[in-house]
Amino acid sequence: MSSSANTALRMGRYALPALAAMQCAPALTALGPLRTKLLPRLSGAGRPDHVALTFDDGPDPLSTPFFLRLLDAHGIRATFFVLGSMSRRSPGLLRDMAAAGHEIGIHGWHHRPLPLRGPKATFGELRRARDFVADVTGEMPRLFRPPYGAMSTAAHLATLSLGLTPVLWTTWGRDWTRQATAESVHRTVIARLSGGGTILLHDSDVTSAPGAWRSALGALPMIIDTCGERGLRIGPLRSHTPC
């Protein structure tokens, strides 16, 4: 083997791991406490008198309407990060959510970890979800939340190209587990809840334990009451921080 071939082989051994590291390094943003401290904007930190309420994984005709009715009864609007695949199944529900005044962001087309997907697939999936939501609601989405909260270099580049702003969360309810209850979700959310925070809940169990959404629904009135007791207004991300 020639010296130039040996050199190329050695470079390849180092280049492939380096490229993989570049692609996956942004996935560290999934680490909540570190992200909130170092990247408050990405975490959804906003006005100190306000809390942003967000939901992932819908729209789901079996569960989302319960959340919509409860929010409407309290006069609250929220941000829903929807999956393109779920939206395609229930476009009428998606349209109703937007018509009711809720903010619609995208959560990808499928609920797949982006660090495992290449640039072309990532861009295509985000564009497909963005355009579908825009066609149904009549408004171009501006916000994006990656599945599992894990960004990638390809995802960052795709959001820049598509005019999307990534937003994660400062507190969540761990409402996707089989063991979750309304009380545990409420307790987990408020443990890290403060003014300017962004709450993550799920309005669907499509990627969770069957029926897990009921724990989030049961916790929601308690979360609303706790925010009221602390003098915090609840609303969508568009009322929380400029994007």
Side-chain angles (χ1 to χ4, degrees):
M1 185 180 292
S2 68
S3 61
S4 60
N6 279 323
T7 300
L9 182 60
R10 287 196 300 271
M11 290 178 64
R13 289 173 180 169
Y14 291 109
L16 288 177
L19 289 173
M22 288 176 61
Q23 164 73 349
C24 295
L28 293 174
T29 58
L31 302 176
L34 178 65
R35 179 187 68 242
T36 300
K37 182 177 181 180
L38 300 180
L39 301 167
R41 184 175 175 82
L42 179 62
S43 293
R47 293 167 25 207
D49 63 339
H50 190 270
V51 167
L53 180 60
T54 71
F55 297 90
D56 285 5
D57 293 357
D60 191 327
L62 298 179
S63 52
T64 302
F66 290 99
F67 290 87
L68 297 178
R69 285 196 288 269
L70 194 155
L71 292 171
D72 186 63
H74 286 83
I76 292 173
R77 299 296 174 263
T79 300
F80 287 83
F81 288 95
V82 302
L83 290 168
S85 56
M86 295 293 286
S87 299
R88 184 175 60 180
R89 297 175 189 173
S90 302
L93 177 55
L94 177 64
R95 190 177 298 111
D96 291 344
M97 293 160 64
H102 297 290
E103 183 177 33
I104 308 297
I106 65 169
H107 198 35
W109 189 264
H110 298 291
H111 202 278
R112 296 170 177 167
L114 294 179
L116 302 182
R117 297 178 66 75
K120 183 177 180 180
T122 298
F123 180 85
E125 181 164 331
L126 299 194
R127 182 174 62 180
R128 184 183 182 191
R130 183 200 65 171
D131 292 351
F132 185 87
V133 169
D135 287 343
V136 172
T137 66
E139 184 173 353
M140 187 67 70
R142 300 181 304 127
L143 302 178
F144 166 65
R145 176 173 287 159
Y148 308 105
M151 287 292 285
S152 65
T153 298
H156 276 294
L157 294 175
T159 56
L160 286 172
S161 178
L162 295 169
L164 296 167
T165 299
V167 182
L168 301 183
W169 58 86
T170 63
T171 185
W172 59 9
R174 299 189 66 85
D175 54 340
W176 62 87
T177 66
R178 193 177 302 278
Q179 297 77 21
T181 64
E183 291 73 20
S184 73
V185 171
H186 173 246
R187 183 170 59 252
T188 304
V189 166
I190 65 172
R192 296 184 59 84
L193 180 64
S194 59
T198 292
I199 299 171
L200 163 61
L201 297 173
H202 294 80
D203 63 308
S204 171
D205 62 4
V206 66
T207 63
S208 308
W213 61 268
R214 298 180 186 277
S215 64
L217 183 69
L220 193 50
M222 293 186 280
I223 293 171
I224 293 171
D225 288 344
T226 297
C227 288
E229 292 165 1
R230 296 183 181 183
L232 299 172
R233 296 180 60 194
I234 303 175
L237 281 161
R238 64 178 171 230
S239 303
H240 186 60
T241 182
C243 296

